[in-house]
Amino acid sequence: MASKFLIFSLLVSFQVLTSTLANETGFVGTLNRKELGLHKKDKVSHFKFFFHERFTGSNATSVTVVPSLPNYTATSFGLVGITDNALTVGQEPNSKVVGRIEGLYAGTSQTEFNLLVVVNFLLTEGKYNGSTIAVLGRNRLSLKVRELPVIGGSGVFKFATGYAETKTLYLDADRSTIEYNIYVSHY
């Protein structure tokens, strides 16, 4: 009986201490998982998108903000760019638009052509309308298929995790066609 009382006393003390510490800071508290939708079983979804970048002209969708350093033009080290492209369901530029990819990229390697990619996939169709999937990672362009982490999202994709596979289907000085397969765990 004494051991049960001791365990109960320790649990109560821990709860009081935790609550007191949370209240003393003024900026942290406990969450109700149900209110956040985290009581549901998570699901894994696969999204397949294409986007079509235009690098030149008055309607460019990916633009260089800072050019690469002079000694690193082959690797694009130092390059910083911004992108805002329509997401389509097919690889043809005139296929159905289901969202946008908005973000930035930077040349981060002195020895090979790699980009640090920070992008949001903003969806505009059906139950996903207004939700985003956030991807951040190293895009090693020398590989045919590159893998980048899903680091979160908003709307339907709150607390999202997963990964994205991307590959370049077409690339020249004026434009590119990129495929993204996103595998995302969400509630």
Side-chain angles (χ1 to χ4, degrees), residues 27-98:
F27 61 86
V28 66
T30 57
L31 298 174
N32 182 329
R33 293 180 64 82
K34 191 171 187 175
E35 285 178 5
L36 292 172
L38 300 177
H39 64 289
K40 304 173 191 170
K41 183 174 172 23
D42 67 329
K43 42 189 167 284
V44 178
S45 299
H46 171 222
F47 294 89
K48 185 173 188 173
F49 302 118
F50 298 86
F51 67 90
H52 312 275
E53 295 176 292
R54 292 182 304 278
F55 304 117
T56 59
S58 61
N59 60 352
T61 61
S62 288
V63 296
T64 298
V65 178
V66 177
S68 60
L69 298 172
N71 294 342
Y72 295 101
T73 55
T75 64
S76 293
F77 181 65
L79 168 106
V80 177
I82 302 293
T83 190
D84 179 6
N85 294 283
L87 288 173
T88 62
V89 295
Q91 47 185 310
E92 302 77 27
N94 61 350
S95 62
K96 182 179 178 177
V97 173
V98 294

Side-chain angles (χ1 to χ4, degrees), residues 61-184:
T61 61
S62 288
V63 296
T64 298
V65 178
V66 177
S68 60
L69 298 172
N71 294 342
Y72 295 101
T73 55
T75 64
S76 293
F77 181 65
L79 168 106
V80 177
I82 302 293
T83 190
D84 179 6
N85 294 283
L87 288 173
T88 62
V89 295
Q91 47 185 310
E92 302 77 27
N94 61 350
S95 62
K96 182 179 178 177
V97 173
V98 294
R100 302 203 67 76
I101 181 172
E102 301 170 339
L104 60 92
Y105 51 91
T108 55
S109 175
Q110 296 180 26
T111 59
E112 56 185 333
F113 187 31
N114 293 326
L115 296 176
L116 170 65
V117 177
V118 181
V119 291
N120 275 315
F121 290 80
L122 169 62
L123 305 181
T124 57
E125 287 291 314
K127 70 179 181 179
Y128 304 111
N129 186 19
S131 296
T132 64
I133 300 171
V135 173
L136 180 147
R138 182 177 189 238
N139 192 349
R140 189 173 174 197
L141 294 161
S142 61
L143 299 176
K144 182 176 178 165
V145 177
R146 287 93 59 190
E147 188 177 295
L148 298 106
V150 169
I151 62 163
S154 66
V156 173
F157 303 109
K158 285 185 284 217
F159 296 99
T161 59
Y163 71 100
E165 290 182 343
T166 182
K167 61 182 168 180
T168 304
L169 302 178
Y170 180 82
L171 175 65
D172 69 18
D174 296 322
R175 64 187 183 91
S176 74
T177 301
I178 310 294
E179 177 182 331
Y180 263 89
N181 283 280
I182 300 175
Y183 303 89
V184 60

